[in-house]
């Protein structure tokens, strides 16, 4: 019987991965910040939100690309591996950001590629966007990503339960065929087009903001001055980097972020990870 990884073990593995990433960033003058629920956890709980089970960091595109090259090199011969969008098997759920994963673990999930998908840390890029094109950027990214996943198999019918996959594979099949006919481009071409579009405004030098157009909060806009400085804060048994303007960022995400919700969820994502043989 496969040994399931409990919540505490999963968080400890995530912290191992984060410590590995943080060390590389510090040694190479790469600026990052924890973001979203991880930023909230760092500020309000000095660690994970009690019901969270992952960790997110974010970087400007130029630092993201530098870190990607370093991670591909530095993970060799370690317990970790880096998954970048260009290496995700075509047809699987394709999101345009990196994951650093633990190779000793795997997810028993119908969403992903099984044994190639272990306990992870998500790494998101931020790109420059003209102030007057934020809505266009967000909607375009979401549309391109939706078409990419609707025209791929098994990505068009992914779900968190096998019965849902069977139902979606039947009822969504006409939409899958219609999308493939309408798009008229290969999955590789669609993926490359999405990645290229996300970076299409990075040459501008004024009247811009930063965005990540393909996440849970696609319309969030980061002002450049929010991202100028970071500081170290406690996070469980580590210290991590956070933007000094975290208050403005967390209010954008959550409003009154220091007040916990009335109803506490068990977990946000509910991943089921196991140790490999």
């Amino acid at each position: 019987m496969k040994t399931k990884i409990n919540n505490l073990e999963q968080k400890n593995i995530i912290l191992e991965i984060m410590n590995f990433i943080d060390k590389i960033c510090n040694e190479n003058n790469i600026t990052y910040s924890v973001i979203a629920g991880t930023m909230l956890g760092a500020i309000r709980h000095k660690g994970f939100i009690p019901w969270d089970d992952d960790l997110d960091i974010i970087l400007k595109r130029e630092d993201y690309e530098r870190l990607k090259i370093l991670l591909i090199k530095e993970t060799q011969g370690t317990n970790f591996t880096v998954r970048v969008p260009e290496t995700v098997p075509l047809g699987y759920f394709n999101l345009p950001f990196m994951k650093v994963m633990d190779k000793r673990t795997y997810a028993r999930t119908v969403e992903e590629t099984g044994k190639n998908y272990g306990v992870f840390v998500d790494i998101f890029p931020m790109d420059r966007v003209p102030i007057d094109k934020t809505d266009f950027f967000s909607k375009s990214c979401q549309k391109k990503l939706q078409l990419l996943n609707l025209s791929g198999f098994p990505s068009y019918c992914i779900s968190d339960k096998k019965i849902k996959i069977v139902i979606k594979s039947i009822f969504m099949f006409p939409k899958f065929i219609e999308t493939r006919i309408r798009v008229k481009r290969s999955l590789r071409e669609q993926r490359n087009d999405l990645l290229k579009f996300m970076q299409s405004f990075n040459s501008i030098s004024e009247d811009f903001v930063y965005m990540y157009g393909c996440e849970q909060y696609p319309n969030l806009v980061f002002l450049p001055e929010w991202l100028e400085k970071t500081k170290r804060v406690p996070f469980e048994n580590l210290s991590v980097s956070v933007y000094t303007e975290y208050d403005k960022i967390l209010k954008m995400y959550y409003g009154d972020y220091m007040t916990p919700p009335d109803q506490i969820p068990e977990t946000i994502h509910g991943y089921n990870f196991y140790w490999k043989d």
Side-chain angles (χ1 to χ4, degrees):
M1 178 177 290
K2 303 297 183 182
T3 303
K4 187 175 181 180
I5 295 171
N6 63 41
N7 186 258
L8 179 59
E9 288 177 316
Q10 182 177 333
K11 288 181 177 179
N12 284 336
I13 296 169
I14 290 172
L15 291 172
E16 287 182 44
I17 299 172
M18 185 64 238
N19 188 49
F20 177 79
I21 297 170
D22 180 72
K23 184 172 182 288
I24 292 175
C25 288
N26 290 337
E27 290 176 349
N28 293 276
N29 296 314
I30 293 176
T31 301
Y32 79 89
S33 174
V34 293
I35 197 65
T38 309
M39 178 183 279
L40 176 60
I43 300 303
R44 194 171 71 192
H45 301 274
K46 294 182 169 50
F48 291 101
I49 299 172
W51 53 91
D52 202 0
D53 55 3
D54 74 349
L55 192 151
D56 302 325
I57 70 172
I58 198 161
L59 308 87
K60 293 179 183 178
R61 174 65 69 173
E62 55 268 29
D63 280 331
Y64 174 91
E65 295 297 334
R66 287 179 59 213
L67 180 58
K68 179 169 71 173
I69 293 170
L70 287 165
L71 285 171
I72 291 172
K73 176 184 176 182
E74 296 297 330
T75 52
Q76 300 298 314
T78 72
N79 290 327
F80 309 131
T81 186
V82 58
R83 190 177 85 164
V84 298
E86 295 85 353
T87 64
V88 176
L90 290 169
Y92 282 86
F93 198 55
N94 197 329
L95 292 174
F97 57 85
M98 286 191 288
K99 290 177 179 282
V100 177
M101 301 179 178
D102 189 298
K103 294 187 293 189
R104 301 168 297 178
T105 66
Y106 74 98
R108 183 175 292 177
T109 170
V110 291
E111 292 185 16
E112 295 288 353
T113 54
K115 292 185 179 293
N116 296 320
Y117 193 85
V119 176
F120 62 86
V121 167
D122 284 331
I123 306 176
F124 299 96
M126 282 190 295
D127 292 292
R128 294 184 181 190
V129 180
I131 292 175
D132 61 351
K133 293 186 181 296
T134 56
D135 188 58
F136 165 75
F137 179 82
S138 175
K139 289 180 179 178
S140 296
C141 286
Q142 294 296 314
K143 182 178 180 180
K144 290 175 184 294
L145 182 61
Q146 182 183 43
L147 287 175
L148 174 60
N149 288 319
L150 274 177
S151 58
F153 180 82
S155 61
Y156 88 90
C157 59
I158 60 168
S159 184
D160 58 346
K161 296 184 183 302
K162 289 183 178 179
I163 185 62
K164 290 183 179 179
I165 282 210
V166 173
I167 293 172
K168 288 180 71 174
S169 66
I170 296 171
F171 287 96
M172 291 291 292
F173 186 72
K175 182 68 174 178
F176 164 66
I177 296 298
E178 185 270 332
T179 304
R180 288 299 298 267
I181 294 173
R182 176 163 53 92
V183 173
K184 296 180 180 178
R185 290 186 300 166
S186 71
L187 296 178
R188 189 180 305 279
E189 288 173 327
Q190 291 182 67
R191 180 175 66 189
N192 292 343
D193 176 62
L194 170 61
L195 296 174
K196 182 178 179 180
F197 176 79
M198 290 176 66
Q199 303 174 58
S200 59
F201 299 112
N202 279 332
S203 62
I204 63 175
S205 59
E206 58 184 25
D207 297 327
F208 67 88
V209 293
Y210 284 96
M211 294 185 71
Y212 175 61
C214 292
E215 68 142 337
Q216 183 180 359
Y217 307 93
N219 297 312
L220 296 185
V221 172
F222 297 81
L223 300 183
E225 55 266 31
W226 293 358
L227 316 180
E228 290 178 356
K229 296 180 181 180
T230 61
K231 68 175 187 176
R232 305 293 290 186
V233 296
F235 193 91
E236 302 295 344
N237 62 335
L238 305 178
S239 70
V240 296
S241 291
V242 64
Y243 291 125
T244 55
E245 296 287 356
Y246 65 80
D247 180 67
K248 293 183 175 69
I249 295 172
L250 287 174
K251 284 179 178 176
M252 177 175 65
Y253 270 92
Y254 304 110
D256 180 16
Y257 63 88
M258 290 304 289
T259 303
D262 294 330
Q263 293 185 339
I264 306 299
E266 291 186 14
T267 62
I268 294 177
H269 304 99
Y271 298 107
N272 291 314
F273 288 104
Y274 297 81
W275 292 108
K276 290 183 178 179
D277 294 333

